[in-house]
Amino acid sequence: MKPPRFDYVAAGSVGEATEALASAEDSRVLAGGQSLVPLMNLRLARPSLLVDVNHLGALSGFESHNGTLRFGAMCRHRFLETDPDVRQKAPIFAEVAELIGHVGIRNRGTLGGSLAHADPVAELPALLVALEGRVIVASTGSERAIPAAELFAGPFTTGLEPDELLTTVEVPAHRDGDGGAFSEFVRRHGDFATAGVAVILHRDGFGACEQVRVAGCGLGPTPMDLSAAGDFLRGESSLTDGAAEELGRRVAAAADPPGDVHGSKDYRRELAAVLAADAVRRAWARAGSAGGA
Amino acid sequence: MTKVRFSLNGEVAEVEVEPRELLLDTLRDRLAMTGAHAGCEQGSCGACTVLVDGCGVRSCLMFTVQVGGSEVRTIEGVGSPGSLHPIQQALSTHHGLQCGFCTPGMVLTALELFETDPHPSRDRIEEWMSGNLCRCTGYVNIVKALEAVAGTAEEQL
Ligand SMILES: Cc1cc2nc3c(=O)[nH]c(=O)nc-3n(C[C@H](O)[C@H](O)[C@H](O)COP(=O)(O)OP(=O)(O)OC[C@H]3O[C@@H](n4cnc5c(N)ncnc54)[C@H](O)[C@@H]3O)c2cc1C
Ligand code: FES
Ligand code: FES
């Protein structure tokens, strides 16, 4: 038997889940299990109570409402990748979900789980930061919103309290002139990224750049907001190769990547430059076309 | 201990388990479905892949208490020694296995692929199968076998 002993509750509602979470010290939410269960098998995580939220159908929906896209926390990566509605209204989520692990992982792993796990190399947290999204979290009898900028406190550490359940993920709906792209480098297909960069930008009706948002994974202890690197593009109505490379240089300079067996600091900085230039070119082209991203 | 009932290869299975028991261990140690192989037991290799309600999952990353009411399919429910499933036949014909340790996971993963897309391209096959590691074949013959199935899928599946 690999994991240590624990009690188990299959929650039938959000209320049941938050009550169960509050009922024990070291309680944990069990979502897709694709990060938590490996840690339990290795006995690196030893929760006393698992609150299984896989039966909460209310947490697996996707809707567009008043200019906001709302995803249930239990939207599985595979759903983001394949659902026609998501592909149409939030194509950047489909593009990013496809980059995560392998199909067997994506069949189980969830959006909320990825955000709550807060792996500094995970893609979805970086995407949430780039999109300036927020999460809604519930605890017994109350609910609050945490903006992406405040959610990620450190590697594998979020602003969630132990008795809080992440229920919903919200990002601004796509407007005409928006374009986004996510570029990453992996050693082998399906691995965690060595580094990745998300660029989300908006061009006005005349094609001029109004806003550039940049965030990275694998480039710091948290999914870093590197948007300041793109400020110089505001007002430009074309993207030259030189400008794309300049963005790359600025992103690389602002990043604070770790050095480890997968790549030194300098190597990751160089990757960041190349990936940012690639992402901004793709985002720019998409922002100028009808479909966008 | 919790009683869990689920469908296993079309028959009812009932076990009494602690919450911490992994589906992989229940299948192997209580239900004699030893085709689900324990490789890494941390989600990396895919040798433990089974289908739960039609979706390929790592049985080393699911607890048995989670599959109550579900349909679980293991390699024992695919083909038979006298009558191989087309995927199994193709792997045999194209030398898509050597030691066979990865093969049950490969077959079940491929089964979900062909159910989603009967004629996948080579790229799609490679992407889809990337989560299943094989230490013997070098993958080339596995991909060849699945390409053969893809080419003739309509008649065979
Ligand atoms: C082989 C392999 C490859 C992978 N590759 C990648 C990759 O390339 N990129 C990537 O980003 N990820 C990758 N992953 C991880 C995968 O994306 C996970 O699905 C994800 O990180 C966690 O989601 P989960 O639903 O499985 O969460 P779980 O494992 O169930 O939970 C993870 C943590 O989050 C908490 N949690 C989960 N849901 C909630 C909630 N709603 N509210 C509060 N807390 C919650 C849990 O308590 C736990 O602490 C990989 C995993 C494996 C095994
Ligand atoms: S044994 Fe489950 S993925 Fe390796
Ligand atoms: S045939 Fe030996 S691991 Fe694949």
Side-chain angles (χ1 to χ4, degrees), chain B residues 97-109:
Chain B
L97 64 149
Q98 289 176 29
C99 80
F101 191 82
C102 68
T103 313
M106 291 282 180
V107 171
L108 289 158
T109 302

Side-chain angles (χ1 to χ4, degrees), chain A residues 1-8 30-35 37-38 40-43 50 52 54-55 78 81 98 101-108 188-190, chain B residues 2 18-22 25 30 40-44 52 55-58 60-63 65-66 68 109 112 116 124 126-133 135:
Chain A
M1 210 83 71
K2 305 217 115 206
R5 278 208 175 83
F6 58 84
D7 292 325
Y8 171 84
L30 174 63
Q34 304 301 294
S35 296
V37 182
M40 291 175 67
N41 286 353
L42 294 165
R43 300 207 170 192
L50 281 194
D52 186 346
N54 280 278
H55 303 289
R78 185 107 179 98
E81 182 187 350
E98 274 172 25
H102 317 281
V103 67
I105 306 297
R106 300 197 293 269
N107 275 340
R108 298 290 305 165
R188 287 172 311 188
H189 184 88
Chain B
T2 312
E18 279 185 72
R20 64 170 165 159
E21 187 160 312
L22 298 167
D25 292 329
R30 293 184 195 268
C40 63
E41 295 175 89
Q42 47 176 288
S44 311
V52 173
C55 289
V57 304
R58 310 310 219 202
C60 70
L61 300 185
M62 269 189 95
F63 298 108
V65 288
Q66 296 187 273
T109 302
E112 189 191 0
T116 329
R124 183 110 208 263
E126 288 184 354
E127 197 283 324
W128 191 281
M129 300 304 295
S130 67
N132 291 67
L133 301 185
R135 296 291 79 165

